[in-house]
Amino acid sequence: MAEHDLTVLMAAQLDQHLVFPLLEFLQEWQLYSEPEFLEAKIRLLSGTNMVDYAMDIHKSLHSTDDVPEDMVKRRAEVVSRLRSLEEAAAPLVAFLQNPQLVQELRPDKQYNIHMLQERYQGSNLPGYVIYCCYMWLHIISI
């Protein structure tokens, strides 16, 4: 059955996060050995920020509580980046969590991308965060 598996061909065309359900499906069918699946998951996770999950898989694969130093360093980088993004996005998150501010914006239809950019331009937010918030505001207004 494994000789007819097209997962490798499909996975090359998919985002890494979309390959996980395919691996889970194949793992249930037991087409490959458990260590092969775990190694494949670790390789797949190496290109993501899902470091804790990769560490858990490594521990289970090697039956140890120790993880490689590169995983520990990568985790520190990911956590640091997460904290800096949380700090940068805090004003915008506070805005979105305030129902009064969001409610005031709906009737006026002033919650456009320009307003968000003007209001939070100096906050060092990545542009995609502002666009995501803009999309969220449009979704809740429907």
Side-chain angles (χ1 to χ4, degrees):
M1 184 85 165
E3 66 270 4
H4 301 292
D5 180 23
L6 299 175
T7 306
V8 174
L9 296 173
M10 292 188 318
Q13 306 302 319
L14 296 174
D15 180 80
Q16 294 168 326
H17 298 87
L18 296 175
V19 177
F20 279 104
L22 294 175
L23 288 179
E24 296 293 329
F25 175 78
L26 290 175
Q27 193 170 11
E28 285 182 28
W29 282 90
Q30 299 176 346
L31 294 178
Y32 301 97
S33 69
E34 190 69 19
E36 285 180 295
F37 276 112
L38 296 177
E39 285 292 342
K41 285 182 180 181
I42 289 174
R43 281 194 310 271
L44 191 61
L45 289 169
S46 68
T48 70
N49 289 335
M50 300 169 65
V51 183
D52 287 334
Y53 186 41
M55 292 168 100
D56 291 342
I57 292 173
H58 183 274
K59 289 175 186 177
S60 116
L61 176 64
H62 299 288
S63 302
T64 182
D65 286 337
D66 297 329
V67 292
E69 187 63 31
D70 63 326
M71 284 186 174
V72 174
K73 287 180 184 176
R74 176 79 174 123
R75 184 181 190 286
E77 292 170 6
V78 168
V79 169
S80 173
R81 174 89 170 123
L82 176 64
R83 293 228 168 88
S84 68
L85 286 173
E86 284 175 344
E87 287 176 16
L92 193 55
V93 170
F95 171 81
L96 293 174
Q97 290 177 338
N98 186 334
Q100 291 175 321
L101 290 176
V102 173
Q103 196 70 353
E104 287 174 15
L105 294 174
R106 278 193 203 166
D108 298 335
K109 299 291 182 190
Q110 292 180 4
Y111 55 93
N112 57 38
I113 193 65
H114 302 294
M115 186 277 300
L116 289 172
Q117 285 176 333
E118 288 173 9
R119 190 172 215 173
Y120 299 102
Q121 188 173 12
S123 64
N124 295 327
L125 280 175
Y128 65 87
V129 173
I130 293 174
Y131 286 103
C132 288
C133 293
Y134 176 68
M135 295 304 296
W136 181 80
L137 286 169
H138 274 289
I139 289 169
I140 64 169
S141 69
I142 296 175

